Amino acid sequence: MKYVVGDIHGEISKLEQLIAHLDDDAEEFIFVGDYMDKGENSQEVLKYLQNLMYNRSTTFLIGNHDFAWMEFAREGRYKEDLLQYGGRKTLADFGLSRLVREEIQETLMLPYQDIFDSLQNYCIRDDHIISHAGIDPNSWKPWLLEDAHEALAVLPTEKFLYNRQNFLEMDISQTDYYWVFGHTAFQAPYAHQRKRGVDTGAAYHAEARLTAYCIDTHMAIDHRGATHSLMADCVPPIWGRDKLEKQ
């Protein structure tokens, strides 16, 4: 089975529990990005994922938080965004007290360079396109999966990172593919038309779930072992909707 795992945001305990539920029949783990910030311990998440990538079949996609850390390490960009949207917790997880480019390069980026180097904008598995935040509708036209590969490959990373309401309102009901995405933190797995949302806000609340979606069965499973069929439409509320515009 191929499983797509939603935004982790430092929730190491929930991640460990989720993978334990999936481990017996997992053929591949695909992660939609946003591995750090906000939650329990971002350093422990990176350690866990680094070990997983050398022992199991894994694909890591890039999220907007990952992009911001990489850009800060490279060019000093996104400092204020990082500090505002969970980066202070990540600094503490790494034993750092300030956001300094050289310290981030040495302490955060270098030990996990293999993960950061592997990050992809998107991937396609069977009839599913998977990316962090769907796609910018203004950049997207293909209605057939056979035309999607070439169209996706030429888009810049930013087109996959920040979409929210614009993507949710995008009509893909007549396509021959599904689109699996994270970034928008729903209170339960999301299904509408041929979109599947797997970010269930793991870091937003102690009771919030970390969720994976099985491409092969259209079933969602969370870190507590609860399962949900996503064959029928399900549009749950969004965690802290008023705070999500940039996160």
Side-chain angles (χ1 to χ4, degrees):
M1 301 291 183
K2 294 177 284 293
Y3 290 100
V4 184
V5 178
D7 301 35
I8 301 167
H9 280 304
E11 289 296 328
I12 180 60
S13 296
K14 293 178 182 180
L15 175 61
E16 291 173 335
Q17 293 171 47
L18 178 63
I19 298 301
H21 286 299
L22 308 178
D23 206 28
D24 286 346
D25 65 358
E27 170 189 335
E28 181 184 16
F29 297 110
I30 302 161
F31 297 89
V32 299
D34 279 5
Y35 309 103
M36 301 180 290
D37 300 339
K38 304 178 184 178
E40 183 182 355
N41 194 304
S42 292
Q43 184 178 32
E44 292 302 316
V45 165
L46 291 181
K47 285 181 182 178
Y48 183 89
L49 294 177
Q50 189 177 54
N51 179 67
L52 195 68
M53 79 182 293
Y54 288 107
N55 290 283
R56 302 299 299 271
S57 176
T58 55
T59 297
F60 297 102
L61 305 184
I62 188 168
N64 57 301
H65 286 253
D66 318 309
F67 181 75
W69 281 108
M70 293 167 71
E71 287 296 296
F72 179 77
R74 279 195 290 252
E75 300 180 2
R77 300 172 61 204
Y78 295 103
K79 181 174 182 177
E80 295 307 315
D81 284 346
L82 288 170
L83 292 175
Q84 185 174 356
Y85 295 109
R88 295 182 190 275
K89 178 62 170 67
T90 298
L91 290 175
D93 294 342
F94 279 85
L96 301 174
S97 60
R98 55 184 186 164
L99 188 54
V100 177
R101 185 179 166 202
E102 292 75 16
E103 292 182 2
I104 295 303
Q105 290 171 337
E106 180 179 349
T107 306
L108 192 154
M109 303 302 298
L110 204 58
Y112 307 102
Q113 196 65 54
D114 44 5
I115 291 180
F116 290 110
D117 286 346
S118 76
L119 298 182
Q120 303 175 29
N121 291 340
Y122 67 93
C123 70
I124 298 175
R125 297 291 185 272
D126 302 335
D127 57 350
H128 287 65
I129 302 173
I130 308 157
S131 64
H132 178 66
I135 195 69
D136 177 0
N138 295 322
S139 305
W140 190 248
K141 294 181 180 179
W143 292 98
L144 297 176
L145 189 63
E146 64 180 348
D147 300 322
H149 297 267
E150 186 176 351
L152 289 164
V154 299
L155 293 176
T157 298
E158 289 88 337
K159 296 294 184 182
F160 299 92
L161 300 183
Y162 303 107
N163 313 294
R164 185 163 282 124
Q165 198 62 36
N166 56 346
F167 176 70
L168 295 179
E169 293 174 355
M170 176 178 160
D171 186 352
I172 64 168
S173 60
Q174 303 305 308
T175 66
D176 66 346
Y177 52 79
Y178 294 89
W179 207 306
V180 187
F181 66 100
H183 186 59
T184 298
F186 297 99
Q187 294 183 25
Y190 170 98
H192 181 60
Q193 295 180 349
R194 297 174 73 85
K195 305 188 193 88
R196 301 292 182 263
V198 295
D199 179 4
T200 46
Y204 273 80
H205 190 278
E207 297 302 313
R209 311 297 176 95
L210 179 62
T211 296
Y213 166 74
C214 182
I215 288 172
D216 309 88
T217 63
H218 294 269
M219 294 290 293
I221 182 169
D222 65 38
H223 74 280
R224 294 183 176 180
T227 58
H228 317 263
S229 173
L230 296 186
M231 291 300 292
D233 279 5
C234 175
V235 182
I238 294 174
W239 286 105
R241 185 165 194 147
D242 59 328
K243 301 177 182 178
L244 281 177
E245 188 58 35
K246 289 190 68 177
Q247 293 185 35

